[in-house]
Amino acid sequence: MHEANSINDLYDILDRLTDGVDWNDFYARRAMPAPFLVHSTLPDKAVTQFVRTHGIKSAVEFGCGEGRNAIFLARNGVDVLALDSSQVAVENARSAAQNTGENLAAHLGFIAADCLAFDYKDRTFDLALDSGLFHHLAPHRRLQYRDLLGKVLNPGGFFVLLCFAANAGGADEADDLGFYLHRNTGVAFTEQRIRDFFCADFQIVSIERCAQSVTDDYIDIPFLFSCIMQKK
């Protein structure tokens, strides 16, 4: 029997209405030629540009995958807490950091954990980074995620989000009811929907469509939005 006697009980029940993704299997089998797997050592262009224009000292990355963005931040002197729910991805990320031949341990920590359940111990950051997690969250978990951002970001801190853009080929749009009815595992967002969801807590600095680009220094994935927001 499933009874909702608390908000967490309700969230657990709603989780059962979504299929989710087995991320350990995803990273272990590598059956999908996703750009972030094919170019697993390259950071996102949006992240490289942000670091060049903002003097941040600390960052948390939600859904760090195999560490490409977190490693880039650490190599640029940023203290990074990088979280991913996949133990396989985190182990690959730790190996990738070691393979740089640089001593990044003082700046970089990879942890296999659900970012929504992790104990941050009142630690706060100048930057929260998300390249590909938000668009996989169920609607009730997105609300929890937005609250988490407010807690872990310093006053005036930044949120850099890369997520599926509507009508760009990465994923289909779905309203929140449709997410549950069709058991979606990922959805695309319009620019207006992103603004509506985050505008109460964040100043929207920019929302731009990414373009197809791969260089020696970064990757830009064309079916994503690149969003920069600043905590009010």
Side-chain angles (χ1 to χ4, degrees):
M1 240 180 126
H2 304 294
E3 298 179 348
N5 296 315
S6 69
I7 193 66
N8 287 331
D9 291 341
L10 176 60
Y11 279 11
D12 289 342
I13 291 171
L14 290 173
D15 285 339
R16 293 175 178 269
L17 299 180
T18 64
D19 287 333
V21 177
D22 185 337
W23 290 107
N24 276 321
D25 181 69
F26 178 90
Y27 282 104
R29 291 196 304 117
R30 310 182 83 80
M32 182 180 294
F36 59 86
L37 291 181
V38 175
H39 305 285
S40 61
T41 63
L42 293 177
D44 288 299
K45 180 181 180 181
V47 177
T48 66
Q49 290 182 329
F50 182 86
V51 168
R52 282 200 299 266
T53 55
H54 295 82
I56 60 168
K57 295 181 179 179
S58 60
V60 59
E61 183 174 10
F62 303 127
C64 66
E66 295 181 324
R68 57 197 183 89
N69 284 314
I71 291 170
F72 171 80
L73 291 170
R75 295 177 82 175
N76 282 271
V78 180
D79 292 331
V80 187
L81 171 64
L83 305 172
D84 199 283
S85 62
S86 168
Q87 182 68 50
V88 174
V90 167
E91 289 173 358
N92 291 345
R94 289 171 179 159
S95 295
Q98 292 176 351
N99 290 340
T100 65
E102 302 176 46
N103 184 10
L104 301 177
H107 292 293
L108 180 58
F110 287 110
I111 297 178
D114 177 351
C115 69
L116 297 175
F118 184 72
D119 183 1
Y120 296 87
K121 300 185 185 299
D122 297 324
R123 186 174 174 184
T124 56
F125 307 87
D126 299 328
L127 168 68
L129 171 62
D130 176 344
S131 179
L133 173 62
F134 177 73
H135 54 225
H136 288 296
L137 295 176
H140 61 289
R141 294 298 180 185
R142 286 182 219 140
L143 297 172
Q144 190 178 9
Y145 182 86
R146 186 175 60 190
D147 289 342
L148 171 63
L149 288 170
K151 293 175 183 176
V152 301
L153 278 174
N154 290 324
F158 288 92
F159 176 41
V160 173
L161 170 67
L162 289 106
C163 66
F164 288 139
N167 302 312
D172 295 329
E173 290 183 73
D175 65 21
D176 290 342
L177 177 60
F179 192 101
Y180 299 108
L181 292 178
H182 303 293
R183 303 187 76 90
N184 288 94
T185 58
V187 293
F189 296 87
T190 63
E191 177 178 342
Q192 189 58 53
R193 191 173 178 195
I194 294 170
R195 290 182 180 276
D196 289 344
F197 187 79
F198 288 105
C199 67
D201 303 305
F202 289 88
Q203 175 189 351
I204 311 298
V205 178
S206 64
I207 300 178
E208 299 176 355
R209 269 285 303 277
C210 298
Q212 178 66 55
S213 180
V214 180
T215 73
D216 292 338
D217 299 317
Y218 60 73
I219 181 174
D220 210 23
I221 302 174
F223 47 78
L224 300 180
F225 271 132
S226 168
C227 313
I228 300 177
M229 312 178 204
Q230 188 171 21
K231 182 180 175 181
K232 290 182 178 178

